[in-house]
Amino acid sequence: MHMILYQIQIFIKQILNFAQETFSSLRWDLFMKSEFQKIPSMMNYTEDVTDDTLFIYKAFLDLRRKEPLIRILAFSQCRDINVILHYGLQCISAKDVTIEYDCPWKWVPESKDVTIEYDCPWKWVPECKWFSFMLIFNMRNSNFSINTKEILVSERNRMVAIPLQLLPRKYQDTLHVCVPPLYWYWNYVAFIQFIEIWRKQGATMFYIYYVSVNRHMMDILKIYEKVGIIRLIHWQMLPRSKLIDPNRWIYRFGHTLSMNDCLHSSFAKYVALVDIDEFIIPNSGTLLPFLRKMHNLNDTAGSFVFEHAR
């Protein structure tokens, strides 16, 4: 424990030196005037948001197995999703998977009019009605072309064309870090500490999703983005109508969907899914060599889970 605390103190000193050197070498006004990185916006294929609206975020072509799969990330209420993929003259049904397991979540109590301070657990927390889904289409019997650039899907009387993004087929022996959407986030000092400690553990790329951050935090994000250390993704809130606002019924802005998007977008062999205040520091050495060692001992492992230190 003393060794870990000592290492963190060294990291913080190095962080301050890095920040001073970086800030002195870059002009702040360049970042104040630059536009945010343009990313695909949420696609809504109904004119008005209703209870049965399906929000499609992104589609991936997965060629890691013998049979090609198409994976669509989407938001929907907890319901049967009957999406059809149209390819040539074929109609292919999806297998829908709730990324967040129970739908609706059994641990979230229903909303009640109560005094906040007196109930534990809080009974005023609204039930999460909207969820993250992955729609999976198996294309093995469709003579599917791996050069396909977009797909056409429909549900009931609605149809939309979706760009198709190819999943990496080979992964680099590196470590990337995925962070769930930041909202109302302002603590840029803690963020710098987070980035630099993880870099010391072997991380080379960070996928930073954000909903809302203050100006100083955005300046820091832009500096790291310019250096090439982070990929900045604006995680937009869902469209709403006068009667239906999905954002009120999604837990933490649908962070599990963003984590799956990050996991599918990264080309790294090792991807850490962590909050902005979480670190994984081995008792000796650094994390990336430790992961390589553990993977060599467990070559069929798909993931490693680390318990929080208390």
Side-chain angles (χ1 to χ4, degrees):
M1 178 61 70
H2 293 294
M3 178 61 68
I4 293 176
L5 292 176
Y6 174 75
Q7 290 177 339
I8 292 177
Q9 290 175 349
I10 297 298
F11 292 160
I12 293 175
K13 291 181 181 179
Q14 294 173 341
I15 290 168
L16 295 176
N17 292 335
F18 168 82
Q20 184 176 3
E21 293 175 1
T22 304
F23 295 163
S24 62
S25 63
L26 295 173
R27 294 181 59 188
W28 285 83
D29 58 345
L30 292 178
F31 300 103
M32 297 294 292
K33 297 177 182 178
S34 62
E35 295 182 355
F36 290 166
Q37 176 181 345
K38 295 183 178 179
I39 63 167
S41 60
M42 293 285 188
M43 290 181 290
N44 175 4
Y45 55 94
T46 59
E47 294 182 0
D48 298 314
V49 178
T50 63
D51 286 338
D52 65 348
T53 296
L54 178 69
F55 294 99
I56 296 178
Y57 178 65
K58 193 178 292 184
F60 293 95
L61 174 58
D62 187 352
L63 300 177
R64 295 174 296 179
R65 302 180 180 181
K66 293 182 179 180
E67 51 193 33
L69 300 176
I70 291 178
R71 302 176 182 270
I72 295 179
L73 299 179
F75 287 116
S76 173
Q77 281 215 48
C78 186
R79 64 179 179 87
D80 291 330
I81 301 176
N82 300 307
V83 172
I84 301 297
L85 188 150
H86 302 268
Y87 187 74
L89 299 177
Q90 301 181 63
C91 297
I92 304 168
S93 299
K95 174 185 177 183
D96 58 286
V97 178
T98 55
I99 295 176
E100 293 153 326
Y101 303 105
D102 293 328
C103 185
W105 281 349
K106 296 178 180 178
W107 62 269
V108 180
E110 295 183 358
S111 177
K112 294 183 179 180
D113 294 328
V114 295
T115 304
I116 294 176
E117 289 83 359
Y118 297 116
D119 291 278
C120 185
W122 291 339
K123 294 184 175 63
W124 57 271
V125 179
E127 180 182 350
C128 296
K129 297 180 179 179
W130 289 73
F131 292 84
S132 303
F133 286 84
M134 180 181 292
L135 311 177
I136 303 175
F137 299 85
N138 194 318
M139 309 299 292
R140 64 175 177 270
N141 297 322
S142 63
N143 294 321
F144 184 77
S145 171
I146 61 174
N147 296 318
T148 302
K149 301 300 181 182
E150 68 176 20
I151 55 175
L152 192 65
V153 298
S154 67
E155 186 181 32
R156 300 173 186 173
N157 61 339
R158 299 165 294 189
M159 184 172 291
V160 64
I162 311 171
L164 202 54
Q165 179 175 323
L166 182 63
L167 277 180
R169 301 179 70 174
K170 294 183 179 180
Y171 294 98
Q172 298 181 8
D173 190 28
T174 55
L175 171 63
H176 288 179
V177 177
C178 299
V179 176
L182 302 175
Y183 55 94
W184 298 349
Y185 195 82
W186 58 271
N187 196 342
Y188 62 89
V189 175
F191 179 81
I192 294 174
Q193 173 180 284
F194 171 82
I195 294 291
E196 297 306 320
I197 289 179
W198 272 99
R199 289 181 68 190
K200 287 295 182 180
Q201 296 303 313
T204 57
M205 177 61 67
F206 299 79
Y207 293 79
I208 307 298
Y209 294 75
Y210 73 95
V211 177
S212 56
V213 298
N214 72 354
R215 181 175 61 85
H216 297 300
M217 182 63 198
M218 180 55 69
D219 290 336
I220 299 297
L221 290 172
K222 285 295 181 178
I223 289 175
Y224 275 117
E225 183 183 41
K226 187 176 181 65
V227 174
I229 296 173
I230 73 171
R231 291 187 182 178
L232 192 57
I233 302 102
H234 187 191
W235 192 247
Q236 300 181 10
M237 298 182 69
L238 296 175
R240 61 183 180 179
S241 65
K242 293 182 179 180
L243 298 178
I244 303 294
D245 183 2
N247 302 287
R248 296 184 58 189
W249 309 101
I250 294 181
Y251 183 63
R252 291 182 64 185
F253 298 97
H255 70 294
T256 51
L257 195 77
S258 71
M259 293 293 92
N260 276 267
D261 176 59
C262 181
L263 189 62
H264 284 76
S265 300
S266 172
F267 55 83
K269 184 176 181 179
Y270 304 102
V271 180
L273 308 179
V274 293
D275 286 330
I276 204 71
D277 59 350
E278 293 178 327
F279 309 96
I280 303 175
I281 303 177
N283 290 328
S284 62
T286 56
L287 181 60
L288 184 54
F290 174 79
L291 291 173
R292 290 168 176 162
K293 177 181 177 181
M294 294 302 297
H295 191 254
N296 289 334
L297 296 175
N298 306 272
D299 58 354
T300 60
S303 63
F304 296 100
V305 179
F306 298 85
E307 293 185 357
H308 282 181
R310 298 185 183 276

